[in-house]
Amino acid sequence: DHRDLHSFPTRRSSDLPWLQAADINVLPTYYEGLPLTVLEAMASGLPTVASKVGGIPEMVEDGISGWLVPSGDSKKLADALSVLVWQPELRKRMGEAAYSCVSQWFSLDQQVRNTESLYLELCGTPVLDGPAESGLPVIAAEDEHPSAYLPNY
């Protein structure tokens, strides 16, 4: 039943057994739109390390729910993965933030509201509800930001 697959959050859905075995979602790419694989991983509570291209930055908040690296930069990709492999608590916090984000911003209800707001705006009808603040959990103080674990280049 594809409805279960596409109605987020799945949270370790049995429809996605490969996600149950994973600790980190990785998507190195040069071109993307809004990849469903990232949403599925986030809905399963996995942090994502991905290239900063296309719609990926709209889903993954760099340093909060995963890390974004320059496309084609295998060194930064490897560094980000190493940090998450060796720091399970950080990996867990980022996975929780990913789940929170996908639950709040990419649920079917939220997507219907976003589409409705867009249509009303395009038709010139005032939209009564503006977008809320992100509501993502704060996982570290500024001086403890997860990106601080990555080397500077």
Side-chain angles (χ1 to χ4, degrees):
D1 185 2
H2 290 286
R3 288 178 298 164
D4 291 338
L5 180 67
H6 297 293
S7 59
F8 297 105
T10 59
R11 194 56 141 177
R12 302 277 183 197
S13 169
S14 61
D15 291 337
L16 307 172
W18 58 92
L19 290 176
Q20 293 177 5
D23 292 317
I24 304 165
N25 180 48
V26 186
L27 184 60
T29 183
Y30 288 99
Y31 307 101
E32 282 297 333
L34 196 69
L36 186 60
T37 57
V38 173
L39 292 176
E40 290 170 339
M42 293 173 72
S44 295
L46 296 177
T48 292
V49 177
S51 300
K52 189 176 182 178
V53 298
I56 295 172
E58 294 177 37
M59 297 182 287
V60 178
E61 189 171 1
D62 192 27
I64 303 297
S65 58
W67 275 317
L68 300 173
V69 297
S71 196
D73 193 333
S74 58
K75 174 73 172 127
K76 286 190 179 181
L77 179 69
D79 289 344
L81 289 171
S82 293
V83 171
L84 289 177
V85 165
W86 292 106
Q87 296 190 28
E89 286 302 313
L90 176 61
R91 187 172 64 231
K92 181 181 178 197
R93 286 194 312 264
M94 285 185 154
E96 290 169 353
Y99 179 76
S100 176
C101 175
V102 80
S103 298
Q104 182 173 0
W105 297 110
F106 294 96
S107 69
L108 179 59
D109 289 342
Q110 184 62 43
Q111 294 306 304
V112 168
R113 282 192 297 273
N114 291 347
T115 302
E116 180 183 40
S117 293
L118 177 62
Y119 285 144
L120 290 173
E121 181 181 323
L122 293 172
C123 293
T125 304
V127 179
L128 300 177
D129 295 325
E133 291 184 23
S134 80
L136 293 173
V138 176
I139 61 171
E142 187 172 319
D143 59 332
E144 298 174 324
H145 195 274
S147 61
Y149 294 106
L150 289 176
N152 293 324
Y153 292 103

